[in-house]
Amino acid sequence: MKPTLQLKLSQQLTLTPQLQQAIRLLQLSTLDMQQELDQFIELNPMLERADGPDDVAEPVAEGDSVELNDAWQAAGEALGELSWAAAGNGSPDDEDEERDWMQQTPESISLREHLLAQLGEMKLPQRDAVLASLIVEALDEDGYLLGGLEELIDLGPDEWEVDEEEWRIALRYVQHCEPAGVAARALPECLQLQLLRLPDSDVRQMALTLVLDHLDLLGARDYTKLKRRLQCDDDMLRQVQQLIGSLDPKPGRPFSTEKPRYVVPDVVVVKQKGKWVAHLNADAVPKLKVNQLYASILTQHRGADGKGLQEQLQEARWMVKNVQQRFATILRVSRAIVERQWRFFEHGDVGMVPLVLREIADELDLHESTVSRVTNQKYLLSPRGIFELKYFFGSRLETDTGGACSATAIRALIKQLIQAEDPARPLSDSQLSDMLANQGVVVARRTVAKYREAMHIAPVNLRKAL
């Protein structure tokens, strides 16, 4: 074949740096976005926060027109349902020098430090102290010695020739520490250690027998066999069950070092003149401005030497514009959701109507993937609590009257029926399905079981009570 040259015209979407930055800011949570801004401000002197009394930041437009609407649509079509990774948890600034030291939260102590401090006060012989400290190091985060003493025998110094009885003595030292039940090798032993510290009584003795020999029957709620094995009546078994229920099955969990995850609502919903209205949370919107001093100097002294600073100035203006665009888009989507789900704010979950991302995307002329990013890790504060925006979306289930009911409303109905049931005769999934059908909502038994499990509600045999 003879090589030839041909000209061809085609259209291709190119994501500009500004649009890439806008998409990234949109998918971040508010706390992650604040961290992103802090890093940007440290690297770019052209951008600063308008925190002073004389500083003025450009307000976020709350109108329905959004400048980058076409860009959102184009980017959504190009990127499809590409998922973006959100990283990091927000944490308060512990280095604020202006914070009153009296109001600082004390550093939490770990379970290991707590136990070693108690062992140090016992003034144990060196041999027992070393073995006890090895046992403390082997505990898991719940305070259990899951491996047992068998795995600890090889941990002692070879020249000591530690036997199993010495390990048992060291284990008893640790088990006498607080919290009660620590260093247990299984759940029955953990409950036993806690019961032994209570005053002696008939209820305690029966509870000891139950946790050591019949804990499986209690977990299965087989009260008939329990009464026969323990030779007691309903009243005594009820007291035993209440006593065991007051114990802590995970004594080491209060000492967990896991940091809490803070949630900052992006939108606040209030009722004004009989209508539910969404507004941006002013505390969540960062107040940004371009440093006017640097900008004016660059304007007066244009040249090749200031090219890098000119690029930083342009990036700072992009950042201010994209942050405003982010919150304007969140507000538009939130208002569309509130307009559709106003019954939820009036009546709770039972008032939730079916809603999918496509409906909001079509109404606001956005791509469905853009709405997905807006509703992910963005939160709404209302008189009923704080909810993630994606909470208001749910699948559609048909009713026998030809209407539709949302999955969230059905879950709320199931929860109401279970809360009103007789504890001695709880409702099965089939009975719940029949009761929903009587209310005009046709739901299969398997669907009821799926919704019940999603709400972490136990099955019928585990909900039975005396």
Side-chain angles (χ1 to χ4, degrees), residues 110-380:
S110 65
L111 177 63
R112 171 183 173 275
E113 296 169 339
H114 183 62
L115 294 175
L116 291 179
Q118 296 178 69
L119 292 174
E121 295 176 356
M122 294 181 183
K123 298 181 180 180
L124 303 176
Q126 181 183 7
R127 191 180 183 92
D128 293 338
V130 172
L131 297 180
S133 64
L134 290 175
I135 292 176
V136 171
E137 297 291 345
L139 300 180
D140 66 2
E141 62 178 7
D142 293 331
Y144 281 85
L145 185 65
L146 296 180
L149 293 178
E150 293 76 9
E151 296 186 5
L152 297 177
I153 294 178
D154 297 333
L155 294 180
D158 296 335
E159 62 273 12
W160 283 14
E161 297 181 356
V162 184
D163 58 20
E164 186 174 350
E165 183 59 27
E166 289 181 287
W167 280 112
R168 293 185 185 277
I169 294 174
L171 178 61
R172 283 195 287 270
Y173 282 130
V174 179
Q175 291 179 344
H176 277 84
C177 296
E178 293 292 338
V182 73
R185 286 157 289 185
L187 178 59
E189 184 181 15
C190 177
L191 301 178
Q192 179 193 25
L193 292 173
Q194 298 179 56
L195 288 171
L196 291 175
R197 297 196 185 187
L198 300 178
D200 190 16
S201 65
D202 294 339
V203 177
R204 193 198 74 158
Q205 292 298 329
M206 192 166 295
L208 284 170
T209 303
L210 193 153
V211 299
L212 293 177
D213 301 329
H214 311 297
L215 195 58
D216 55 338
L217 294 179
L218 180 62
R221 304 292 180 93
D222 195 342
Y223 299 118
T224 303
K225 287 186 178 180
L226 277 175
K227 288 187 292 183
R228 186 169 61 250
R229 300 279 180 86
L230 299 176
Q231 297 181 357
C232 65
D233 55 11
D234 289 348
D235 184 62
M236 175 60 74
L237 184 57
R238 188 179 296 108
Q239 295 182 48
V240 171
Q241 185 181 15
Q242 292 175 353
L243 177 60
I244 296 176
S246 65
L247 305 179
D248 188 358
K250 298 180 179 181
R253 187 56 62 92
F255 296 89
S256 175
T257 57
E258 182 180 357
K259 294 183 179 180
R261 182 175 179 86
Y262 299 93
V263 172
V264 177
D266 302 88
V267 179
V268 179
V269 177
V270 295
K271 194 172 186 179
Q272 296 178 347
K273 298 181 180 179
K275 185 178 180 181
W276 292 96
V277 183
H279 299 284
L280 287 176
N281 180 13
D283 295 332
V285 181
K287 300 177 178 60
L288 302 175
K289 68 172 185 177
V290 176
N291 190 304
Q292 296 300 324
L293 177 61
Y294 292 160
S296 60
I297 293 176
L298 285 176
T299 303
Q300 297 173 3
H301 301 83
R302 294 180 178 273
D305 296 339
K307 182 177 180 180
L309 294 178
Q310 288 287 352
E311 293 179 355
Q312 288 186 325
L313 178 60
Q314 184 62 40
E315 291 175 356
R317 289 172 176 168
W318 284 353
M319 178 63 74
V320 173
K321 186 175 182 180
N322 288 335
V323 169
Q324 294 177 349
Q325 174 66 27
R326 175 188 186 273
F327 282 96
T329 306
I330 292 175
L331 182 61
R332 294 180 66 220
V333 172
S334 300
R335 285 181 170 175
I337 292 174
V338 172
E339 185 177 353
R340 297 288 190 94
Q341 301 289 9
W342 64 268
R343 295 179 183 84
F344 166 82
F345 301 103
E346 289 284 351
H347 310 293
D349 288 345
V350 293
M352 193 84 76
V353 299
L355 183 64
V356 294
L357 296 176
R358 171 58 62 183
E359 297 180 44
I360 299 297
D362 293 342
E363 179 181 342
L364 302 180
D365 195 21
L366 295 172
H367 193 270
E368 189 173 350
S369 63
T370 302
V371 179
S372 176
R373 294 184 181 92
V374 171
T375 57
N376 186 36
Q377 299 187 80
K378 313 303 186 300
Y379 295 89
L380 177 150

